[in-house]
Amino acid sequence: MKKREKHLGLRIDQETHDKIFYIAEYEGRSGSGQILYLMRKCIADFEKEHGKIELSETKNG
């Protein structure tokens, strides 16, 4: 069974928004795709330094 995707609302200032979307277009991603890429990169960097994050089945829904 596929895990249910979550929705994350995010408020950011206009300049940050425009720059993220500029970079996304440059790299051939959508704005949402770019944000997801950056989040995954952050997680990978953290886990590389601190070890794999183990989550329980019930944590965060």
Side-chain angles (χ1 to χ4, degrees):
M1 184 166 117
K2 182 179 177 185
K3 287 187 178 182
R4 202 173 93 208
E5 293 183 353
K6 297 288 189 170
H7 175 82
L8 175 65
L10 179 66
R11 292 182 190 270
I12 58 173
D13 61 89
Q14 188 68 50
E15 183 179 358
T16 301
H17 174 276
D18 293 347
K19 288 181 178 183
I20 288 290
F21 277 73
Y22 179 94
I23 295 167
E25 184 176 342
Y26 181 86
E27 295 187 351
R29 294 185 186 96
S30 67
S32 293
Q34 182 69 18
I35 293 166
L36 187 55
Y37 164 79
L38 293 168
M39 292 170 69
R40 288 176 174 156
K41 183 177 182 320
C42 176
I43 292 167
D45 292 347
F46 181 93
E47 289 184 328
K48 184 177 179 180
E49 183 175 344
H50 301 283
K52 183 166 175 56
I53 300 169
E54 299 293 341
L55 302 175
S56 67
E57 290 294 319
T58 58
K59 190 168 187 169
N60 294 322

